[in-house]
Amino acid sequence: MRPIVGRAAGLIPVDFCPVRAPPRVSVMLSWWHRDVIAAGKLPLMLCFVSFVVTFVSTRTITRLIRDGRGPFRNVTAGGTHVHHSVPGIILLIIGAFTAVGGPGTLGWLSFSAIGIGTSLVLDEFALILHPQDGYWSGEGQLSVEAVSLALALV
């Protein structure tokens, strides 16, 4: 008999695989269900994946802006440069309030917003710590260290 775990949708076997798949894919799907879905770690996984994808994307885009390549440009409002920590803080607030007080159907969105917001804020950690624009200076390395620490903790 296969072990059974509880979920809101009903009882599902731990090694449940919804599709016929090649053995490696089946093992991966089994792992995904057993260690992420059934273990209740999907919110953390959504937050983690959003965090990593956002960090890599943000670093790539800021490098392209700095080099003057690609379609990306700095964002300004009324002549003031808007750092990406600003939308990061907004996303953190929205994600946190939605996770705590929003309907359960928005859970995936709130956890993704928290991951994205955290990444945007931590990417500019050096700027928060040293208010002058030190993103590309030696102090800017603090942002990468802060992100590395957050990844290690997650």
Side-chain angles (χ1 to χ4, degrees), residues 20-67:
R20 273 280 175 212
R24 285 188 176 169
V25 173
S26 180
V27 168
M28 186 66 186
L29 287 173
S30 178
W31 166 83
W32 175 257
H33 180 75
R34 181 187 65 247
D35 292 343
V36 177
I37 304 293
K41 295 180 182 175
L42 183 60
L44 184 60
M45 181 62 85
L46 288 171
C47 192
F48 176 77
V49 169
S50 298
F51 182 94
V52 171
V53 168
T54 301
F55 180 72
V56 170
S57 301
T58 302
R59 280 284 161 158
T60 301
I61 290 169
T62 53
R63 173 53 74 181
L64 290 172
I65 290 171
R66 186 164 191 239
D67 292 344

Side-chain angles (χ1 to χ4, degrees), residues 90-120:
I90 293 167
L91 283 171
L92 272 170
I93 292 168
I94 290 169
F97 282 125
T98 305
V100 171
T105 56
L106 292 178
W108 66 272
L109 185 62
S110 62
F111 298 122
S112 296
I114 290 169
I116 293 167
T118 302
S119 181
L120 291 172

Side-chain angles (χ1 to χ4, degrees), residues 65 72-84 87:
I65 290 171
F72 307 107
R73 300 289 176 257
N74 283 322
V75 176
T76 58
T80 303
H81 175 73
V82 179
H83 291 273
H84 51 269

